[in-house]
Amino acid sequence: MEFADEARELLLVAPADFVRERTTRQRAVRKDDRALATRLGGLRKPAPAAWVVDLLAHEGALDEAVELGPAIRQAQADADPDEIRRLRRQRSDVVAALAQAGADLASDAGHPLTSAVLDQVRATIEAAMADGHAGAAVRSGLLVRPLESAGFDDVDLDGALADPDAVPDAWSGTDAEPIPITSARRSRKGSRASRPEPEPEPEPELQPEPQSEPEPEPEAEPQAEPGPRTDPAAERRAAREAEATARAESRDADAALDAAEQELEAAEDRRAELERQLAEAVVEVERAERARDEAADASDRARDLLRAAQHHRRDVGR
């Protein structure tokens, strides 16, 4: 099997059982395909919300939601308020139904969802409607973290997929072109950034007033220092940078957790092996003790026979 196929199967495993199942699968393929085993070992454990979305993708339940996205975006581009309202109601119904379906799948798997995870599932589905590339990503069944749509910006897909190279295969049926995920962002940001700023209107010229005797000016009260002017664009950039930093820290923490879980799994395997060896050693010791006891009994019997033979010889010689 290809890595993407293996990853899709593993990502259907509940996050609590993921590391153990990944290790089992990695060992199973190592003999025949070490490169695949290495890639499987590096597969990230999915966030709970991403796991639920992958379950929905596996069921083919996300198609309606993703295919609704282009219609919503077209209605917004046409500025058709009636169509926008109708499609938004439809979007709300679809998101609610899918979130409930995801909650049911998670419960059936023995892992009920918290309200926070359910909110992330809804946000991911809404992001799939808002951005064609995000729609392709959620339909791929390779999602490892939830998505979020931020206004008019393209959905950030960095680190969202187990195998970005496999995603173009899942892009049929959307209005997104089959291009790599790494190139699927900032396609609209450039056009916004390239728009020229409107020129300020010239201020009307002031007509000179007739000269008059100047009146004494009242004493000016001290003015408070104006606060620093805020730059909304800079604030948005700072917020995006903070989000990117938090996401990177989250990925690092996930990677550290995966590594710790792998080490724990390996330590448990070593302990199980040592316990097996100890059990075998105990059996061997017990067998040796029985053999010693039997040998001691045989030795005692042989000595008794020797003493009897010696007595008999002495009696015969008299």
Side-chain angles (χ1 to χ4, degrees), residues 67-87:
E67 290 164 4
L68 185 61
I72 295 174
R73 293 193 291 277
Q74 186 60 50
Q76 290 171 336
D78 295 342
D80 184 340
D82 293 336
E83 185 67 2
I84 289 173
R85 278 194 295 272
R86 184 186 72 80
L87 290 172

PDB file of all heavy atoms in Angstrom, residues 67-87:
ATOM      1  N   GLU A  67     -19.406  21.037  -1.692  1.00  0.00           N
ATOM      2  CA  GLU A  67     -19.985  21.487  -2.963  1.00  0.00           C
ATOM      3  C   GLU A  67     -20.910  22.687  -2.776  1.00  0.00           C
ATOM      4  O   GLU A  67     -21.230  23.377  -3.745  1.00  0.00           O
ATOM      5  CB  GLU A  67     -20.726  20.321  -3.614  1.00  0.00           C
ATOM      6  CG  GLU A  67     -19.755  19.248  -4.118  1.00  0.00           C
ATOM      7  CD  GLU A  67     -20.428  17.930  -4.425  1.00  0.00           C
ATOM      8  OE1 GLU A  67     -21.682  17.873  -4.318  1.00  0.00           O
ATOM      9  OE2 GLU A  67     -19.714  16.967  -4.759  1.00  0.00           O
ATOM     10  N   LEU A  68     -21.333  22.963  -1.540  1.00  0.00           N
ATOM     11  CA  LEU A  68     -22.141  24.146  -1.270  1.00  0.00           C
ATOM     12  C   LEU A  68     -21.275  25.413  -1.258  1.00  0.00           C
ATOM     13  O   LEU A  68     -21.769  26.514  -1.487  1.00  0.00           O
ATOM     14  CB  LEU A  68     -22.854  23.977   0.076  1.00  0.00           C
ATOM     15  CG  LEU A  68     -23.855  25.047   0.503  1.00  0.00           C
ATOM     16  CD1 LEU A  68     -24.995  25.146  -0.499  1.00  0.00           C
ATOM     17  CD2 LEU A  68     -24.401  24.720   1.895  1.00  0.00           C
ATOM     18  N   GLY A  69     -19.967  25.240  -0.978  1.00  0.00           N
ATOM     19  CA  GLY A  69     -19.074  26.383  -0.870  1.00  0.00           C
ATOM     20  C   GLY A  69     -19.044  27.275  -2.089  1.00  0.00           C
ATOM     21  O   GLY A  69     -19.209  28.506  -1.981  1.00  0.00           O
ATOM     22  N   PRO A  70     -18.830  26.745  -3.323  1.00  0.00           N
ATOM     23  CA  PRO A  70     -18.782  27.620  -4.492  1.00  0.00           C
ATOM     24  C   PRO A  70     -20.064  28.421  -4.698  1.00  0.00           C
ATOM     25  O   PRO A  70     -20.012  29.579  -5.110  1.00  0.00           O
ATOM     26  CB  PRO A  70     -18.562  26.624  -5.651  1.00  0.00           C
ATOM     27  CG  PRO A  70     -17.894  25.451  -5.020  1.00  0.00           C
ATOM     28  CD  PRO A  70     -18.470  25.351  -3.648  1.00  0.00           C
ATOM     29  N   ALA A  71     -21.213  27.821  -4.399  1.00  0.00           N
ATOM     30  CA  ALA A  71     -22.479  28.558  -4.555  1.00  0.00           C
ATOM     31  C   ALA A  71     -22.545  29.736  -3.593  1.00  0.00           C
ATOM     32  O   ALA A  71     -22.996  30.835  -3.966  1.00  0.00           O
ATOM     33  CB  ALA A  71     -23.653  27.608  -4.313  1.00  0.00           C
ATOM     34  N   ILE A  72     -22.080  29.528  -2.362  1.00  0.00           N
ATOM     35  CA  ILE A  72     -22.078  30.624  -1.384  1.00  0.00           C
ATOM     36  C   ILE A  72     -21.137  31.729  -1.842  1.00  0.00           C
ATOM     37  O   ILE A  72     -21.475  32.924  -1.806  1.00  0.00           O
ATOM     38  CB  ILE A  72     -21.675  30.100   0.003  1.00  0.00           C
ATOM     39  CG1 ILE A  72     -22.734  29.114   0.530  1.00  0.00           C
ATOM     40  CG2 ILE A  72     -21.474  31.250   0.978  1.00  0.00           C
ATOM     41  CD1 ILE A  72     -22.345  28.434   1.823  1.00  0.00           C
ATOM     42  N   ARG A  73     -19.948  31.350  -2.291  1.00  0.00           N
ATOM     43  CA  ARG A  73     -18.970  32.351  -2.717  1.00  0.00           C
ATOM     44  C   ARG A  73     -19.476  33.114  -3.947  1.00  0.00           C
ATOM     45  O   ARG A  73     -19.241  34.326  -4.071  1.00  0.00           O
ATOM     46  CB  ARG A  73     -17.626  31.681  -2.982  1.00  0.00           C
ATOM     47  CG  ARG A  73     -16.984  31.125  -1.730  1.00  0.00           C
ATOM     48  CD  ARG A  73     -15.530  30.764  -1.956  1.00  0.00           C
ATOM     49  NE  ARG A  73     -15.364  29.605  -2.834  1.00  0.00           N
ATOM     50  CZ  ARG A  73     -15.434  28.348  -2.425  1.00  0.00           C
ATOM     51  NH1 ARG A  73     -15.699  28.090  -1.152  1.00  0.00           N
ATOM     52  NH2 ARG A  73     -15.256  27.345  -3.270  1.00  0.00           N
ATOM     53  N   GLN A  74     -20.180  32.434  -4.857  1.00  0.00           N
ATOM     54  CA  GLN A  74     -20.717  33.107  -6.036  1.00  0.00           C
ATOM     55  C   GLN A  74     -21.811  34.094  -5.654  1.00  0.00           C
ATOM     56  O   GLN A  74     -21.882  35.211  -6.187  1.00  0.00           O
ATOM     57  CB  GLN A  74     -21.264  32.062  -7.020  1.00  0.00           C
ATOM     58  CG  GLN A  74     -21.715  32.645  -8.347  1.00  0.00           C
ATOM     59  CD  GLN A  74     -20.585  33.349  -9.077  1.00  0.00           C
ATOM     60  OE1 GLN A  74     -19.500  32.783  -9.234  1.00  0.00           O
ATOM     61  NE2 GLN A  74     -20.816  34.589  -9.499  1.00  0.00           N
ATOM     62  N   ALA A  75     -22.670  33.686  -4.711  1.00  0.00           N
ATOM     63  CA  ALA A  75     -23.735  34.588  -4.262  1.00  0.00           C
ATOM     64  C   ALA A  75     -23.141  35.826  -3.604  1.00  0.00           C
ATOM     65  O   ALA A  75     -23.649  36.943  -3.777  1.00  0.00           O
ATOM     66  CB  ALA A  75     -24.659  33.852  -3.296  1.00  0.00           C
ATOM     67  N   GLN A  76     -22.066  35.655  -2.863  1.00  0.00           N
ATOM     68  CA  GLN A  76     -21.414  36.810  -2.238  1.00  0.00           C
ATOM     69  C   GLN A  76     -20.786  37.707  -3.296  1.00  0.00           C
ATOM     70  O   GLN A  76     -20.841  38.936  -3.206  1.00  0.00           O
ATOM     71  CB  GLN A  76     -20.362  36.329  -1.239  1.00  0.00           C
ATOM     72  CG  GLN A  76     -20.967  35.680   0.001  1.00  0.00           C
ATOM     73  CD  GLN A  76     -19.944  35.008   0.876  1.00  0.00           C
ATOM     74  OE1 GLN A  76     -18.866  34.618   0.414  1.00  0.00           O
ATOM     75  NE2 GLN A  76     -20.263  34.843   2.151  1.00  0.00           N
ATOM     76  N   ALA A  77     -20.189  37.079  -4.335  1.00  0.00           N
ATOM     77  CA  ALA A  77     -19.581  37.879  -5.405  1.00  0.00           C
ATOM     78  C   ALA A  77     -20.652  38.647  -6.178  1.00  0.00           C
ATOM     79  O   ALA A  77     -20.422  39.779  -6.614  1.00  0.00           O
ATOM     80  CB  ALA A  77     -18.790  36.974  -6.342  1.00  0.00           C
ATOM     81  N   ASP A  78     -21.846  38.037  -6.340  1.00  0.00           N
ATOM     82  CA  ASP A  78     -22.945  38.692  -7.062  1.00  0.00           C
ATOM     83  C   ASP A  78     -23.706  39.680  -6.183  1.00  0.00           C
ATOM     84  O   ASP A  78     -24.593  40.381  -6.694  1.00  0.00           O
ATOM     85  CB  ASP A  78     -23.928  37.643  -7.585  1.00  0.00           C
ATOM     86  CG  ASP A  78     -23.292  36.736  -8.634  1.00  0.00           C
ATOM     87  OD1 ASP A  78     -22.241  37.121  -9.190  1.00  0.00           O
ATOM     88  OD2 ASP A  78     -23.832  35.631  -8.865  1.00  0.00           O
ATOM     89  N   ALA A  79     -23.374  39.699  -4.872  1.00  0.00           N
ATOM     90  CA  ALA A  79     -24.075  40.588  -3.932  1.00  0.00           C
ATOM     91  C   ALA A  79     -25.586  40.372  -4.002  1.00  0.00           C
ATOM     92  O   ALA A  79     -26.374  41.318  -4.069  1.00  0.00           O
ATOM     93  CB  ALA A  79     -23.728  42.052  -4.205  1.00  0.00           C
ATOM     94  N   ASP A  80     -25.991  39.094  -3.989  1.00  0.00           N
ATOM     95  CA  ASP A  80     -27.411  38.731  -4.047  1.00  0.00           C
ATOM     96  C   ASP A  80     -27.877  38.425  -2.620  1.00  0.00           C
ATOM     97  O   ASP A  80     -27.686  37.324  -2.115  1.00  0.00           O
ATOM     98  CB  ASP A  80     -27.575  37.498  -4.942  1.00  0.00           C
ATOM     99  CG  ASP A  80     -29.037  37.120  -5.139  1.00  0.00           C
ATOM    100  OD1 ASP A  80     -29.869  37.548  -4.322  1.00  0.00           O
ATOM    101  OD2 ASP A  80     -29.327  36.373  -6.090  1.00  0.00           O
ATOM    102  N   PRO A  81     -28.506  39.390  -1.937  1.00  0.00           N
ATOM    103  CA  PRO A  81     -28.832  39.203  -0.518  1.00  0.00           C
ATOM    104  C   PRO A  81     -29.800  38.052  -0.271  1.00  0.00           C
ATOM    105  O   PRO A  81     -29.640  37.307   0.707  1.00  0.00           O
ATOM    106  CB  PRO A  81     -29.436  40.544  -0.104  1.00  0.00           C
ATOM    107  CG  PRO A  81     -29.889  41.182  -1.371  1.00  0.00           C
ATOM    108  CD  PRO A  81     -28.951  40.708  -2.432  1.00  0.00           C
ATOM    109  N   ASP A  82     -30.794  37.884  -1.139  1.00  0.00           N
ATOM    110  CA  ASP A  82     -31.763  36.800  -0.925  1.00  0.00           C
ATOM    111  C   ASP A  82     -31.083  35.431  -1.050  1.00  0.00           C
ATOM    112  O   ASP A  82     -31.317  34.530  -0.231  1.00  0.00           O
ATOM    113  CB  ASP A  82     -32.910  36.896  -1.934  1.00  0.00           C
ATOM    114  CG  ASP A  82     -33.758  38.135  -1.702  1.00  0.00           C
ATOM    115  OD1 ASP A  82     -33.762  38.639  -0.558  1.00  0.00           O
ATOM    116  OD2 ASP A  82     -34.402  38.610  -2.660  1.00  0.00           O
ATOM    117  N   GLU A  83     -30.252  35.275  -2.082  1.00  0.00           N
ATOM    118  CA  GLU A  83     -29.557  34.005  -2.275  1.00  0.00           C
ATOM    119  C   GLU A  83     -28.551  33.749  -1.149  1.00  0.00           C
ATOM    120  O   GLU A  83     -28.388  32.624  -0.681  1.00  0.00           O
ATOM    121  CB  GLU A  83     -28.844  34.001  -3.633  1.00  0.00           C
ATOM    122  CG  GLU A  83     -28.172  32.700  -4.012  1.00  0.00           C
ATOM    123  CD  GLU A  83     -29.165  31.568  -4.270  1.00  0.00           C
ATOM    124  OE1 GLU A  83     -30.394  31.801  -4.190  1.00  0.00           O
ATOM    125  OE2 GLU A  83     -28.707  30.452  -4.564  1.00  0.00           O
ATOM    126  N   ILE A  84     -27.895  34.833  -0.706  1.00  0.00           N
ATOM    127  CA  ILE A  84     -26.932  34.695   0.396  1.00  0.00           C
ATOM    128  C   ILE A  84     -27.642  34.207   1.650  1.00  0.00           C
ATOM    129  O   ILE A  84     -27.172  33.297   2.339  1.00  0.00           O
ATOM    130  CB  ILE A  84     -26.208  36.029   0.657  1.00  0.00           C
ATOM    131  CG1 ILE A  84     -25.242  36.337  -0.502  1.00  0.00           C
ATOM    132  CG2 ILE A  84     -25.451  35.981   1.976  1.00  0.00           C
ATOM    133  CD1 ILE A  84     -24.616  37.714  -0.417  1.00  0.00           C
ATOM    134  N   ARG A  85     -28.814  34.804   1.965  1.00  0.00           N
ATOM    135  CA  ARG A  85     -29.558  34.394   3.159  1.00  0.00           C
ATOM    136  C   ARG A  85     -29.991  32.931   3.056  1.00  0.00           C
ATOM    137  O   ARG A  85     -29.887  32.158   4.001  1.00  0.00           O
ATOM    138  CB  ARG A  85     -30.776  35.301   3.357  1.00  0.00           C
ATOM    139  CG  ARG A  85     -30.458  36.612   4.044  1.00  0.00           C
ATOM    140  CD  ARG A  85     -31.737  37.307   4.512  1.00  0.00           C
ATOM    141  NE  ARG A  85     -32.579  37.698   3.377  1.00  0.00           N
ATOM    142  CZ  ARG A  85     -32.463  38.855   2.739  1.00  0.00           C
ATOM    143  NH1 ARG A  85     -31.549  39.729   3.115  1.00  0.00           N
ATOM    144  NH2 ARG A  85     -33.263  39.146   1.721  1.00  0.00           N
ATOM    145  N   ARG A  86     -30.492  32.549   1.855  1.00  0.00           N
ATOM    146  CA  ARG A  86     -30.949  31.164   1.672  1.00  0.00           C
ATOM    147  C   ARG A  86     -29.787  30.180   1.833  1.00  0.00           C
ATOM    148  O   ARG A  86     -29.909  29.159   2.528  1.00  0.00           O
ATOM    149  CB  ARG A  86     -31.567  31.007   0.278  1.00  0.00           C
ATOM    150  CG  ARG A  86     -32.166  29.625   0.040  1.00  0.00           C
ATOM    151  CD  ARG A  86     -32.633  29.481  -1.394  1.00  0.00           C
ATOM    152  NE  ARG A  86     -31.511  29.383  -2.312  1.00  0.00           N
ATOM    153  CZ  ARG A  86     -30.816  28.265  -2.522  1.00  0.00           C
ATOM    154  NH1 ARG A  86     -31.117  27.152  -1.850  1.00  0.00           N
ATOM    155  NH2 ARG A  86     -29.826  28.240  -3.375  1.00  0.00           N
ATOM    156  N   LEU A  87     -28.667  30.498   1.206  1.00  0.00           N
ATOM    157  CA  LEU A  87     -27.521  29.588   1.274  1.00  0.00           C
ATOM    158  C   LEU A  87     -26.912  29.538   2.675  1.00  0.00           C
ATOM    159  O   LEU A  87     -26.427  28.494   3.111  1.00  0.00           O
ATOM    160  CB  LEU A  87     -26.461  30.006   0.253  1.00  0.00           C
ATOM    161  CG  LEU A  87     -26.842  29.767  -1.213  1.00  0.00           C
ATOM    162  CD1 LEU A  87     -25.821  30.400  -2.141  1.00  0.00           C
ATOM    163  CD2 LEU A  87     -26.962  28.273  -1.485  1.00  0.00           C
TER     164      LEU A  87
END
